[in-house]
Amino acid sequence: MWVNGMTKEITEKRLQKLNAVFESYAMVAEGTDVYVCDVAYDYSRWSKKAVELYGLPGEYMYAAGDIWESYVHPDDRNVYRSSIDEIFANGCGIHDMQYRAKNLAGKYNMCTCKGVVLKNDAGEPEYFVGMIRNHSLNESVDNVTGLRNKNGFFNDVSRYLDCGIPFRIVMYGATNYTGINDLFGYDFGTRILQHCIRYVQDHNQNIGDLYRLDGVRVALISRTATIEQLRENYRQYQEVLQKPFLLDGRQVLLEINAGAVAVDRFDTNADTIFSCLTRAYQESKYNKQGDFSFFENGNSKNGIYRLERINRIRNSVIQQCSNFEVFYQPIMTAENEELEGAEALIRWIDEGGNIVPPDDFIPVLENDALFPELGEWILRQAMKECREILKTIPDFVLNVNLSYAQLQKLDFLDTVKSAMEEVGYPPENLCLEITERCRFLDMERLMAICRDLNRYGIKVALDDFGTGFSSLSILQSLHIDILKIDRQFVKDIVRDGRQERLVRSIGKVGEIFGSRICVEGVETEEMRDILRKYDVYTFQGYLYSKPIPHREFMKRYVEKHADAEQ
Ligand code: C2E
Ligand code: CA
Ligand code: CA
């Protein structure tokens, strides 16, 4: 207990004052976490970042001193307690000590904690203000560019959120920088980066601060510029930096990208913002040929802004993937329309019970360090739910989508294998779907993963075939069991003869590479009848069913099957 031993509910007025004191300290708390306690009510506000790092119950807490003490290493608690007692006992105390505190991952970090007591006019303690510096987090400056680094970036974003200050961020970066490093050498690559940063700093009219995030990605945080201004500035950078220029007598040609996000509501956190920013940047790089891309933070039906919703979805992942549900869409054999298997498709269920489709969150979360956790949960959950089906339909194949974020992890295969072993699901009944977005990965690595999956007996499908750029080269390098033709190539097949010819050709491609064809988006009998003329192995689409919850899938496809067999 920091304070008087009693808790009474804080008044609105005192809460406002607490917030004001908190915000003024948070504003200048360079790289540290801040808390402020209203002594009379023993009510505190803590930095969001500390709440997340340590897994505290919330930003606002009664009796936070006791709560925090339980995070302090047991061997350090006595010292911690006596230091706090001392500061309250001797009138003008400043507490300044080091101790270990347990973070959310269960690891102890060394912290330096400084605290002061602020007194009211009557000389009684009114606020206890503390700052905690976590030593395991690196310092905030990048040595190469002198800019603040990713830690500095995260600290500042958290600080603005804590203080409720609106801001906008742009992420800038160059495409193909590896090529530049290979051509000119790493040091010269760094020279180019420094040159570009210099240029941007000289031309950004002091609208904000630059940060070096990683490699050649740089961010600008501005509290004053509008998105339109930032877009216009970027257009000017493009004009100059995308023209060949001479540096130290060598000619350089760059391609640059930019993605932006605007934050004007604060019920979110720095990690979520970073994932959304990265998503916008990737849009610019992969879909917009380097044009400025803005993360639309629109209002959804129930009045929740997209950044807030993504933040909630992200929190659901942290809370053991609660509020997610796997839906199943049947996959039927083309020949006689019998159940061949099902594709597992994730949904998030919001507070009002509304179903949020994956396109609203998967593309953003794929850029998040948390994604593999969700991916593993989907795989396990789907295998657990489908294990039963194998008793009735032994050849049933469960398809599960993979994201490049999962494949990127070095322990990906071990994760899959141990999930299968723990759940008791046979490899031959599983098919993992990779998409052409996986081309972000090193081809050698993708080849090794596919080889190992095949060796282990797991099938591999190439999803959304034809939508990317490198389909054929992927087919040539990897063994793909199933080619899934994307819906967009068949949706007009009834009217458009070219689509029919395309399916025929893809059938041939499949034959050459030893892959069977699955057509997605089969919506009508007419479509089905046309498709049946070609070498298509399976159909998936609304003609059979939309993705449905597990229980419904069992009722419609499995129990029926079991009854028929009896
Ligand atoms: P996808 O893997 O290409 O999944 C097929 C999508 O097509 C599904 O959308 C499905 O509902 C929709 N679809 C199927 N048949 C028809 C049809 O006849 N007509 C129309 N109009 N649509 C049809 P859904 O469930 O919204 O999923 C969208 C995308 O989200 C998926 O595309 C996939 O890329 C991603 N996704 C979904 N679940 C997961 C997951 O568990 N992990 C990962 N990494 N991505 C997922
Ligand atoms: Ca899929
Ligand atoms: Ca697909």
Side-chain angles (χ1 to χ4, degrees), residues 329 343 346-347 358-359 378 401 463-464 487 521 523 541-542 547:
Q329 185 177 34
E343 177 170 3
I346 192 71
R347 303 288 184 261
D359 287 337
I378 297 168
N401 292 285
D463 202 0
D464 304 338
R487 200 173 71 83
E523 292 187 350
Y542 292 175

Side-chain angles (χ1 to χ4, degrees), residues 413-446:
L413 271 170
D414 294 333
T415 314
V416 173
K417 284 184 195 166
S418 54
M420 297 200 93
E421 278 155 27
E422 278 165 41
V423 173
Y425 192 91
E428 52 283 6
N429 294 88
L430 182 68
C431 175
L432 295 178
E433 297 193 2
I434 57 173
T435 70
E436 297 192 351
R437 271 178 294 172
C438 294
R439 70 177 185 278
F440 294 166
L441 287 181
D442 168 14
M443 204 48 164
E444 296 278 313
R445 194 168 144 61
L446 204 53

Side-chain angles (χ1 to χ4, degrees), residues 119-349:
K119 293 184 175 169
N120 61 15
D121 295 344
E124 291 154 355
E126 187 179 9
Y127 290 102
F128 179 42
V129 181
M131 296 197 187
I132 301 173
R133 183 182 290 278
N134 186 323
H135 293 284
S136 61
L137 303 176
N138 299 327
E139 293 306 323
S140 316
V141 175
D142 171 55
N143 292 331
V144 174
T145 57
L147 297 179
R148 285 168 69 65
N149 62 15
K150 201 167 176 177
N151 284 318
F153 173 86
F154 273 83
N155 281 333
D156 290 354
V157 169
S158 302
R159 205 145 45 98
Y160 293 145
L161 288 175
D162 275 341
C163 298
I165 297 171
F167 57 98
R168 278 143 295 279
I169 316 177
V170 194
M171 183 189 281
Y172 304 108
T175 309
N176 243 335
Y177 217 78
T178 335
I180 287 180
N181 281 335
D182 289 348
L183 189 65
F184 297 121
Y186 188 77
D187 286 345
F188 192 69
T190 306
R191 273 280 290 132
I192 299 174
L193 176 68
Q194 286 166 332
H195 170 83
C196 295
I197 288 172
R198 187 73 261 150
Y199 180 84
V200 172
Q201 270 178 329
D202 289 346
H203 294 83
N204 83 3
Q205 299 122 9
N206 281 332
I207 49 170
D209 299 320
L210 279 177
Y211 302 77
R212 184 183 188 195
L213 297 174
D214 44 40
V216 287
R217 287 193 305 176
V218 170
L220 173 96
I221 305 185
S222 173
R223 287 185 275 157
T224 51
T226 62
I227 286 290
E228 278 326 305
Q229 250 171 303
L230 295 168
R231 192 193 295 274
E232 179 51 29
N233 281 5
Y234 175 67
R235 212 188 45 72
Q236 289 171 14
Y237 304 155
Q238 268 182 315
E239 256 175 33
V240 175
L241 296 174
Q242 292 203 146
K243 286 207 185 102
F245 59 89
L246 275 179
L247 189 67
D248 298 349
R250 300 188 224 188
Q251 197 181 52
V252 180
L253 183 60
L254 287 179
E255 274 172 45
I256 58 176
N257 316 290
V261 62
V263 182
D264 40 28
R265 292 168 51 126
F266 312 101
D267 189 11
T268 185
N269 77 15
D271 289 306
T272 302
I273 291 173
F274 188 71
S275 297
C276 297
L277 180 65
T278 309
R279 169 68 189 157
Y281 177 80
Q282 288 189 342
E283 276 282 311
S284 163
K285 181 167 170 182
Y286 295 107
N287 303 333
K288 293 190 164 178
Q289 282 87 42
D291 279 354
F292 191 89
S293 161
F294 176 52
F295 181 86
E296 291 292 342
N297 188 17
N299 198 335
S300 62
K301 264 186 291 178
N302 41 11
I304 296 175
Y305 281 79
R306 201 157 160 229
L307 260 170
E308 288 170 11
R309 187 156 79 182
I310 295 211
N311 196 48
R312 289 184 197 182
I313 297 177
R314 211 181 164 272
N315 285 338
S316 286
V317 180
I318 296 172
Q319 288 150 16
Q320 282 85 44
C321 299
S322 56
N323 302 90
F324 285 100
E325 191 175 337
V326 183
F327 276 38
Y328 298 90
Q329 185 177 34
I331 299 175
M332 315 302 276
T333 58
E335 202 182 348
N336 43 20
E337 297 182 304
E338 279 176 0
L339 186 76
E340 158 79 11
E343 177 170 3
L345 294 156
I346 192 71
R347 303 288 184 261
W348 186 73
I349 318 295

